[in-house]
Amino acid sequence: IIGNTVSTVRVDGGISSEAYLDVRKALLALWRSEWDDGQKANFILAAYGIFNLLNTAVFSMKEMEFAVASGQIDERVESPKERIEELLRLAEGAGGAQDLCLSAANALERQYNEMLDDVPKAKALKEYICKQLRGASVAVVVPKAYYAGLMRRCMPELFESYNIACVTPSRFDPQTEYGAVVAVGEMKNRNFNLERCFASERACVLLYECEEKTFAYSQRERNKYEDKLNKKLGIAAKRSAPADADEADESEIRDIASLDDYIDGCIRSNAKRTVARLAETDGRTPTSEITHVGTFTDGEMIFISKYYSAVVFAPKKGTVTEKAPDELLAGDVLVFTKNDGYMKNIVDITYENLLKS
């Protein structure tokens, strides 16, 4: 596993480092609290969604509110203001966890108000493309599909003057070549890894100061994990030495990362329930049981049905064997077949056909 070099662009403004940590710590303490698990998960996921919006937005909150109210974007997209108001309502019924909920919700509301008219990353993105990427085709990676429509409305001159494609991590096609790839923030728990992006030699991520430590931590942890895989595969990959991290900061960020794991687990659980519902029989569709959920090194998830049999390649031996899902180990290399330009296992294609039949 080898990667390219990702440059970071420091963006002044945005959520302050103090407010960033306050929100994360409040959500961390809330996760560890005794509040009802269902309500707790609802609050944390909702707060985390708004938090990510404020960290990655490249349009003002007023522009987003107008687009939602006027039906200019997907009707499933909710007003940020209404989402924050829902957080405050949830906080009222949080009992002993109310103070923690209010701490997070109030901090998010303050940042929302600061971004009503001006969003630093919007200006930074324009400047970076205009000054650094003139004449290049640019893929701007955004967390949600509706960002594309909002960006075209908020910065039409940029799209008229430059060859820009807005894509979400799950829709990013690594087979398409770009002059540059720009991410509007760290894409946590997404099916996209900027360091493994070879669609362009130029890759960068826009970060507020508050995001830099967690981004650097994610890089260090990812490198450690991939170094272990490289060793297992017998590959010697050279890396530049990572910057030393303060021990106190590292411990604090590690705690924050544990919250991310909890949130990722909630999302996985919701996704698994959704897929299971799609597979429920209605008299016409056969039931297809989801028995395992896995994750690839780039964060992409795989739902494994009872029909699945994994094809595993052993690089050192040069052999290919079949394994049952419960026999798979971390670091196993799965063999895939090509289907319409995407790498998919032939068994999963059969599984999709079962769901559609």
Side-chain angles (χ1 to χ4, degrees), residues 16-297:
S16 69
S17 295
E18 293 77 14
Y20 181 88
L21 287 176
D22 285 346
V23 172
R24 299 299 293 261
K25 286 178 179 178
L27 294 181
L28 182 64
L30 186 59
W31 166 42
R32 292 170 173 170
S33 73
E34 298 299 320
W35 189 25
D36 174 75
D37 285 345
Q39 290 298 313
K40 176 166 61 178
N42 289 340
F43 184 93
I44 291 176
L45 287 174
Y48 197 73
I50 298 168
F51 190 63
N52 283 339
L53 168 64
L54 297 174
N55 268 323
T56 59
V58 283
F59 40 80
S60 74
M61 292 300 101
K62 274 188 178 178
E63 289 165 332
M64 183 172 178
E65 294 289 2
F66 177 78
V68 172
S70 58
Q72 294 182 13
I73 55 179
D74 193 318
E75 62 182 11
R76 292 171 295 182
V77 178
E78 298 177 87
S79 153
K81 183 178 180 181
E82 291 180 0
R83 289 166 67 185
I84 291 172
E85 289 172 350
E86 176 61 23
L87 282 182
L88 293 170
R89 284 194 290 271
L90 287 172
E92 291 177 0
Q98 186 178 67
D99 288 345
L100 291 172
C101 291
L102 289 175
S103 175
N106 289 334
L108 292 171
E109 185 175 37
R110 285 192 298 271
Q111 189 60 40
Y112 165 84
N113 289 329
E114 288 183 17
M115 291 184 166
L116 276 174
D117 298 298
D118 180 57
V119 175
K121 278 191 180 179
K123 182 180 179 181
L125 179 64
K126 290 179 188 177
E127 290 182 350
Y128 185 77
I129 291 176
C130 293
K131 293 180 180 180
Q132 303 291 331
L133 305 177
R134 186 174 294 277
S137 60
V138 184
V140 179
V141 184
V142 295
K144 300 290 183 180
Y146 70 81
Y147 276 50
L150 274 170
M151 289 170 65
R152 289 182 180 278
R153 291 182 179 87
C154 300
M155 45 186 84
E157 70 289 344
L158 194 67
F159 284 83
E160 290 168 3
S161 304
Y162 296 87
N163 181 13
I164 299 174
C166 291
V167 293
T168 60
S170 60
R171 295 292 182 183
F172 186 85
D173 181 5
Q175 303 302 317
T176 301
E177 293 185 3
Y178 298 99
V181 177
V182 182
V184 298
E186 184 182 6
M187 303 293 162
K188 289 184 178 294
N189 303 319
R190 308 287 183 181
N191 304 328
F192 175 77
N193 183 347
L194 203 56
E195 289 185 312
R196 306 291 161 255
C197 171
F198 299 103
S200 172
E201 293 181 357
R202 304 178 70 177
C204 85
V205 57
L206 305 181
L207 297 174
Y208 290 127
E209 181 183 2
C210 64
E211 300 174 277
E212 290 179 331
K213 287 183 180 180
T214 52
F215 179 74
Y217 174 82
S218 296
Q219 285 186 308
R220 288 194 298 273
E221 291 301 300
R222 189 183 301 121
N223 289 345
K224 289 177 186 177
Y225 177 68
E226 291 178 357
D227 284 345
K228 290 180 181 178
L229 290 182
N230 283 331
K231 186 176 181 180
K232 182 172 183 178
L233 297 172
I235 299 171
K238 294 182 179 179
R239 295 186 191 276
S240 57
D244 291 334
D246 179 86
E247 188 174 338
D249 284 345
E250 191 82 356
S251 176
E252 188 172 58
I253 296 171
R254 192 178 298 112
D255 282 343
I256 289 173
S258 67
L259 172 65
D260 290 337
D261 291 339
Y262 164 75
I263 291 169
D264 192 36
C266 289
I267 294 171
R268 289 169 185 277
S269 179
N270 289 343
K272 186 174 180 180
R273 284 197 296 269
T274 299
V275 174
R277 282 199 299 271
L278 291 175
E280 287 176 358
T281 180
D282 58 1
R284 294 170 295 175
T285 306
T287 299
S288 189
E289 182 184 355
I290 306 298
T291 57
H292 296 76
V293 178
T295 307
F296 293 106
T297 56

